[in-house]
Amino acid sequence: MLELTGRLGDGWVPSSGYAAPGELGAMSATLDAAAERAGRDPAGIRRVYNIEGRFSGAAGKGFLDGPPALWAEQLTELALRHGMSVFVLAVDDDRDLKVFAEEVAPAVREAVSRERAEGPREDAGGPSELAGAAPARAVLDEATRPRLPKRDITALPRRQQANGRRLVLIHDHLRQELAQIRDALEQVAAGRSDAAALRSMINELTLRQNFWTLGTFCASYCRLLTTHHTIEDEHMFPMLAAAQESLAPVVTRLEQEHEVIAGVLTELDAALVAMIEDPDRLDGVREQVDLLSDVLLSHLRYEEEELVEPIARLDLDI
């Protein structure tokens, strides 16, 4: 349904009870990728989020559980990170509705306007300098990514089109694995799984990411997980750059972003170790999983945008 919405829909209306804030990144990425493949601007799809919560004097442990300032902070983050532009509050208390309308909504509007007016922070630095050191949306500076003029892939023979789009299939496996990690995290939160088992799952990814660093696709380990076919990605980037010289800056940037992803995985593993020692530090793991989702899904979209058509046109075997 997310893919259908991306291809055809005017809006997307998830609800926090079924699509938790931590799940929105992966869901938005699926919707955005479907829109782009259909030749649509993802920004044209309006994002509406159905929410419910509890106003209280002190912050609780859940989403929208605390004072109005906490609500404003959390909703601002959703607007900036996932493009949510409308929040529909389910409420049966007129006092809560009044607080939301008079305190929360204006604060969110002001904060979002201020952040967007300021633009990227001056101290953002390059991709490799930022892993684990900045808010998730600033880790990869998408505005500085090299971009090439786009050609129409549909003008190519179907066999070549399918060859290029194989990269998307590889990435889809990686997106599925991310969803499994998030599901495992929720099981830990619900007390249905062992924290050490979750660390083992992430650590396996970390080892693979360290093994395939520069000159590889970050999705190669996922392909290995699902198909047991070794993808010799250390040859792919040089092959692309050799076949089309103008791809060299894109390849270099992708290699740099691999380093960022490896750093995020390292930070995630450290957060898991801390959680095993102190289960109350689960929120730190959630933060790192959200960061990994934002960084990796952004990276995959960029890679698909720049490489699918060249791989197809140059008829490269990936």
Side-chain angles (χ1 to χ4, degrees), residues 156-164 166 236 239-240 243-244 307-318:
L156 299 171
R158 287 189 178 181
R159 182 191 62 81
Q160 288 181 241
Q161 291 183 42
N163 193 37
R166 192 179 305 156
M236 180 58 63
M239 181 166 53
L240 280 164
Q244 182 177 321
L307 297 187
V308 168
E309 188 277 332
I311 289 172
R313 175 169 41 80
L314 298 170
D315 207 12
L316 300 178
D317 185 8
I318 65 169

Side-chain angles (χ1 to χ4, degrees), residues 209-278:
Q209 185 66 30
N210 290 339
F211 182 76
W212 292 300
T213 314
L214 296 178
T216 63
F217 291 115
C218 69
S220 59
Y221 64 82
C222 185
R223 184 172 176 84
L224 179 64
L225 268 175
T226 55
T227 66
H228 302 287
H229 293 163
T230 302
I231 301 176
E232 298 294 337
D233 287 320
E234 62 268 24
H235 303 301
M236 180 58 63
F237 285 164
M239 181 166 53
L240 280 164
Q244 182 177 321
E245 188 176 347
S246 61
L247 280 171
V250 173
V251 166
T252 299
R253 178 56 182 259
L254 290 169
E255 291 173 342
Q256 292 170 348
E257 293 189 3
H258 273 227
E259 295 184 44
V260 175
I261 293 166
V264 172
L265 286 171
T266 299
E267 292 295 322
L268 176 55
D269 188 62
L272 288 163
V273 172
M275 182 190 68
I276 292 170
E277 295 174 352
D278 180 4

Side-chain angles (χ1 to χ4, degrees), residues 13-206:
V13 193
S15 300
S16 60
Y18 298 93
E23 298 172 329
L24 292 178
M27 298 174 77
S28 293
T30 300
L31 185 146
D32 291 348
E36 289 165 357
R37 286 196 294 271
R40 306 180 67 203
D41 180 3
I45 302 173
R46 196 170 195 186
R47 319 295 167 104
V48 179
Y49 199 32
N50 293 325
I51 59 173
E52 57 184 343
R54 182 177 69 94
F55 287 113
S56 60
K61 294 184 178 180
F63 175 60
L64 299 184
D65 184 4
L70 175 69
W71 280 53
E73 179 182 344
Q74 292 179 338
L75 296 182
T76 297
E77 184 69 12
L78 293 179
L80 293 171
R81 183 180 294 187
H82 303 304
M84 293 297 169
S85 62
V86 179
F87 295 103
V88 180
L89 177 64
V91 63
D92 54 12
D93 188 323
D94 290 347
R95 291 171 298 179
D96 287 350
L97 185 60
K98 183 179 176 65
V99 171
F100 183 78
E102 294 183 355
E103 299 183 44
V104 177
V108 173
R109 291 192 189 101
E110 181 182 350
V112 170
S113 297
R114 183 174 60 250
E115 286 284 335
R116 289 176 176 167
E118 289 176 357
R121 294 185 176 92
E122 292 181 0
D123 60 351
S128 0
E129 301 169 353
L130 287 167
R137 62 181 178 277
V139 171
L140 295 179
D141 186 356
E142 298 180 359
T144 63
R145 283 170 167 165
R147 300 280 183 177
L148 297 180
K150 299 299 181 288
R151 308 186 191 186
D152 185 7
I153 192 174
T154 61
L156 299 171
R158 287 189 178 181
R159 182 191 62 81
Q160 288 181 241
Q161 291 183 42
N163 193 37
R165 287 175 175 144
R166 192 179 305 156
L167 180 63
V168 178
L169 298 179
I170 295 171
H171 287 175
D172 283 345
H173 290 308
L174 187 53
R175 294 182 185 105
Q176 291 167 13
E177 188 165 308
L178 260 180
Q180 291 173 2
I181 292 170
R182 191 173 296 283
D183 181 62
L185 177 61
E186 294 308 317
Q187 289 184 37
V188 170
R192 296 194 300 268
S193 181
D194 181 15
L198 176 60
R199 185 191 174 206
S200 175
M201 178 188 295
I202 303 295
N203 196 40
E204 190 175 3
L205 292 176
T206 304

